[in-house]
Amino acid sequence: MLDGPMVVSRSNRRSRSSSCVRKLAGCARAFGCALWLVACVDYSTVEPDYATLRQAAQAKGKLIGTAVDGDLLRDDVQYATLLAQEFNAVTPENATKWEPLEPQDDKYEFSDADFIVEQALAQEQPVKGHVFAWHQQLPSWVEGITDAEELRVALREHIETTMERYRGKIMVWDVVNEAVDDNAPAGYRDNLFYQLLGPDYIEEVFVMAHEVDADALLYYNDYAIERMGHKAEFTYRMLRDLLERGVPIHGIGMQSHLAVHRYPAADDLRDNIRRFAELGLRVEISELDGRTSGLTGTLEQKYEAQRIAFQETMASCVLEPGCTGVTLWGFLDEHSWLNDEGEAEHGLIFDDNYEKKPGYFGVMNGLLGKLLKRGPTVIRNGDFDDGLDDWVDVDSTLRLESFDDQQSQVACAEERATNEAGLGQDDLVEAFADGGSFTFSAQVRQEGTAAAGMNVGLIVEQDGQDPTTISLGYLFADPGVWRTMRGSFALAWEAPPSSVRLSFSGPDPGVALCITQVTLNPLTPDPG
Ligand code: XIL
C-alpha cells in the first residue's frame, strides 16, 4: 500500500544524494559545508518530525488548506498566527459566495474577500474561490429570477466581475457546488439553475468561467461523494460525460464533512480518488471536519475517534498521487459551522484554548502517509472456508455456493421472510466490548430483478433493553453483480453490550442475499 509515495521519495533522495556528494566535494566554506551536510543526510529510515502541518505538507508536496473567516482573521491575532503557521492554502469560508459578494444586483462588497486574498498571498498560501453556482447563499435578487436568459446574464456578469478582480490571485475556483441529489428522480438537484436552464447549466457555467479566465483551474464540489456509492457513481458519470464533451473541468472537491462514528473506509476513498484522477481531474478533500455528536461516550473517546477518522482520510489523500491535498473547513472548534445547530460538535483540530486536539496529530500522521495499523479481523470464517460454520440464518435458509467470479466460497441467504432477514455472526461481544475504531469490508450481491439496497449493521443487546441496530453500511446495487461494501466506524458504550451480532440484510423479502470475504479489523493507533 505504501509503495507509490515511498518510491517517489526514494528516487528524490537518490538524485539529491548525488548532487550533495558533488557539492560536498567542492565545498570550501565551513557554514556552507555544514548546510550541505544536513541536506545530504539520508532520512530513508527516519521519518522526520515536523513542527507544523504546513511543513509536513510541504515535504510531501500536498496542500493542507483551511476555510478562512474574514472577521476572525482581522480581529484575532492567535487565529491569524495559526493560519499562517499551519496551512499552505486558503478557501474563504463565505466571502466569495454570491450573496456576500453581490448582495444587490451589481452592488459588490469585496472588502472581506480582498482582505482574505491579500493576507493569504502575503503568506504564500494559494487561494481557492468558493463558489459560483450553488443553491445556498444566493442573494434574494437572484432567487427572485424566473427567466432563463435573465439568470444567464446575472451569472455571466457575476462570474466576469469576480474572476476579473481576482485574476492571477485566485487561480482555483469551485464553479458548481452540490449539483447532484441522490434522491431526485433525474439525479440532479432541483435548484434554481436546474429549474430555469436544465441540466446543461453545469456545462454553461464551466464554459463561462473558462471564457473569463482561461488560466484558472475550475472545480466541481460536492458532499457524500467520498465513498463508492450511488451518489459518487452518478457524479463520476456526469463528470466523465462532461469531460468527453470537452467541458473545461479540472478538478473535483470531495467535501468530507465526516461523522466520526461512521465514515468512508480508506480503501473505498482511495479507489474513488483514483478513478476520478484517472479522468484527468485533480482530486481534493475540500471541506474536512468531523462531527462527534453521533458517538456516545466521553469527550476523550470522541476526540480519539476523530483523530483516527482524520488520519485515515488525510493518509488516503497522501497515498494517492491524484489527490492534491486536504482543506479543513476551519480549524478552531469554537468557530466551526457544525456548531450552528446548537450543540458543540468539536469538529476541528484546535480546542477553545487554541490547543492542539488529538485530531491535529491525526492530520499530522496522515500527512506522513501513515494509515492506522489494522488488527486481525474479528470475524470468524469470513470467506466460508469452513462452510457455514459460525454464521447463522436470520429468518432465511442459508446455502453455501460458489461463483466463477469469486475465489472463495459464498453464503447465500434464501427464502428471506422480511427485509430484515438475512444472515449474521454472533458472539462478537469481546471484540467490541472496549469500543474503539474499526474498518470492515465484504463482497455482497443480491439476486432480485431490480436494483435494491443492502445493509450491514451490528445488532446490539444491552442487559434488560431491546436490541438496537447500529448501521455500518448501506449499498444500492443492481441484481446479480458483486459489490464491495466497506466502511469505517467508531463505537463507545454507555453500558457495555451483552450480545453483538454482525448482520447482513436488505432487499425485498424472497430476494436472495449473498456474501463473502467478510473482514472487520480494529484500527489501532500506533503507540509511537
Ligand atoms: C458553510 C459555512 O461554513 C457557514 O459559515 C455558512 O453559514 C453556511 O455555509 N458545504 C459548502 C460550504 O460547500 O460552503 C458550507 O459552508 C458548508 C457545506
Side-chain angles (χ1 to χ4, degrees):
M1 263 194 179
L2 292 169
D3 274 6
M6 292 283 282
V7 170
V8 171
S9 53
R10 242 186 255 134
S11 63
N12 283 348
R13 253 178 228 122
R14 209 173 291 133
S15 60
R16 185 174 65 184
S17 308
S18 55
S19 88
C20 282
V21 173
R22 263 185 278 120
K23 292 266 170 46
L24 260 179
C27 198
R29 282 180 312 178
F31 180 66
C33 294
L35 278 184
W36 277 111
L37 205 55
V38 170
C40 292
V41 171
D42 180 5
Y43 290 107
S44 53
T45 52
V46 187
E47 193 64 77
D49 283 339
Y50 295 99
T52 64
L53 300 178
R54 183 174 187 159
Q55 286 175 14
Q58 220 71 22
K60 296 287 168 180
K62 298 277 173 177
L63 294 176
I64 180 78
T66 178
V68 170
D69 179 87
D71 286 340
L72 282 170
L73 181 57
R74 241 185 304 264
D75 301 340
D76 184 336
V77 179
Q78 273 174 292
Y79 178 91
T81 308
L82 284 176
L83 171 61
Q85 281 172 353
E86 297 288 349
F87 299 97
N88 64 7
V90 154
T91 304
E93 183 167 350
N94 290 298
T96 48
K97 291 173 182 171
W98 201 339
E99 203 274 333
L101 267 188
E102 196 188 1
Q104 293 172 46
D105 191 0
D106 213 22
K107 298 234 164 15
Y108 284 84
E109 291 184 6
F110 283 119
S111 57
D112 253 18
D114 282 356
F115 183 64
I116 293 172
V117 171
E118 271 165 32
Q119 295 294 307
L121 296 184
Q123 300 296 338
E124 294 176 32
Q125 295 160 319
V127 182
K128 185 197 222 190
H130 173 82
V131 53
F132 295 132
W134 187 32
H135 63 288
Q136 289 186 23
Q137 289 174 279
L138 282 176
S140 51
W141 67 270
V142 174
E143 277 178 338
I145 295 177
T146 53
D147 174 73
E149 205 39 48
E150 205 183 317
L151 182 60
R152 273 195 193 100
V153 170
L155 262 169
R156 186 175 290 280
E157 281 177 4
H158 178 74
I159 292 174
E160 261 172 21
T161 309
T162 308
M163 288 185 92
E164 286 296 358
R165 184 174 186 92
Y166 298 111
R167 184 187 292 280
K169 292 181 175 169
I170 299 184
M171 303 296 289
V172 184
W173 279 97
D174 282 333
V175 173
V176 177
N177 195 23
E178 302 179 355
V180 176
D181 179 355
D182 227 5
N183 299 313
Y188 294 99
R189 183 180 298 280
D190 189 21
N191 60 21
L192 178 71
F193 308 100
Y194 183 79
Q195 285 162 10
L196 295 188
L197 308 175
D200 286 348
Y201 84 86
I202 299 171
E203 170 168 356
E204 283 193 47
V205 181
F206 275 101
V207 169
M208 278 181 203
H210 187 66
E211 281 169 3
V212 177
D213 185 352
D215 294 329
L217 296 173
L218 308 180
Y219 278 55
Y220 178 77
N221 195 57
D222 213 330
Y223 64 88
I225 53 168
E226 300 81 20
R227 68 177 77 237
M228 300 278 266
H230 199 231
K231 186 169 179 182
E233 191 62 35
F234 185 91
T235 307
Y236 175 80
R237 288 180 193 188
M238 176 183 87
L239 293 179
R240 189 189 57 194
D241 294 350
L242 289 166
L243 288 166
E244 274 170 9
R245 294 215 305 279
V247 178
I249 304 178
H250 310 109
I252 177 164
M254 302 174 172
Q255 292 184 6
S256 307
H257 294 291
L258 306 181
V260 305
H261 67 291
R262 185 178 152 187
Y263 54 95
D267 284 347
D268 218 40
L269 176 57
R270 290 184 62 182
D271 283 355
N272 204 23
I273 289 174
R274 210 174 302 130
R275 70 171 172 163
F276 279 103
E278 281 163 7
L279 292 178
L281 295 171
R282 293 156 193 259
V283 185
E284 190 194 326
I285 305 290
S286 57
E287 303 184 11
L288 178 66
D289 53 22
R291 194 180 281 273
T292 62
S293 59
L295 187 68
T296 51
T298 62
L299 192 58
E300 198 182 348
Q301 286 170 314
K302 291 176 185 223
Y303 278 9
E304 183 58 9
Q306 185 181 57
R307 162 186 157 105
I308 290 174
F310 283 170
Q311 182 166 336
E312 289 280 290
T313 306
M314 186 77 234
S316 297
C317 174
V318 168
L319 295 174
E320 286 305 323
C323 187
T324 53
V326 171
T327 287
L328 285 153
W329 210 238
F331 54 95
L332 296 181
D333 269 358
E334 198 184 342
H335 297 291
S336 162
W337 77 299
L338 296 174
N339 301 335
D340 283 356
E341 287 143 31
E343 202 165 348
E345 279 286 353
H346 311 286
L348 296 168
I349 58 172
F350 285 90
D351 68 16
D352 297 353
N353 301 315
Y354 302 86
E355 299 289 343
K356 293 169 183 167
K357 291 168 57 190
Y360 175 96
F361 300 99
V363 174
M364 177 63 96
N365 280 330
L367 273 168
L368 303 180
K370 292 184 192 165
L371 288 165
L372 273 290
K373 288 212 175 76
R374 270 81 175 135
T377 179
V378 302
I379 301 301
R380 308 176 304 278
N381 190 26
D383 44 16
F384 302 97
D385 280 352
D386 299 328
L388 296 170
D389 283 5
D390 283 309
W391 291 88
V392 292
D393 77 274
V394 182
D395 296 329
S396 71
T397 307
L398 292 194
R399 233 182 284 281
L400 194 65
E401 310 245 0
S402 48
F403 283 77
D404 288 347
D405 53 354
Q406 284 296 341
Q407 287 167 351
S408 50
Q409 300 205 84
V410 168
C412 294
E414 298 173 351
E415 296 153 45
R416 295 172 44 256
T418 63
N419 285 81
E420 283 74 42
L423 70 170
Q425 181 161 113
D426 288 325
D427 302 325
L428 291 168
V429 171
E430 215 181 299
F432 294 119
D434 296 334
S437 293
F438 302 84
T439 191
F440 75 88
S441 174
Q443 297 294 315
V444 297
R445 161 180 176 136
Q446 54 100 0
E447 302 291 351
T449 51
M454 281 172 286
N455 296 306
V456 56
L458 296 178
I459 299 175
V460 177
E461 281 181 7
Q462 280 149 322
D463 278 335
Q465 288 173 23
D466 289 341
T468 51
T469 301
I470 300 173
S471 168
L472 302 183
Y474 172 83
L475 192 140
F476 194 73
D478 288 328
V481 289
W482 284 104
R483 295 287 305 271
T484 307
M485 196 189 259
R486 292 183 285 211
S488 292
F489 62 98
L491 298 170
W493 308 111
E494 270 165 359
S498 50
S499 87
V500 181
R501 161 183 289 178
L502 177 76
S503 117
F504 291 86
S505 62
D508 285 345
V511 172
L513 167 63
C514 303
I515 63 168
T516 189
Q517 293 171 46
V518 185
T519 56
L520 199 161
N521 307 80
L523 295 172
T524 45
D526 189 346

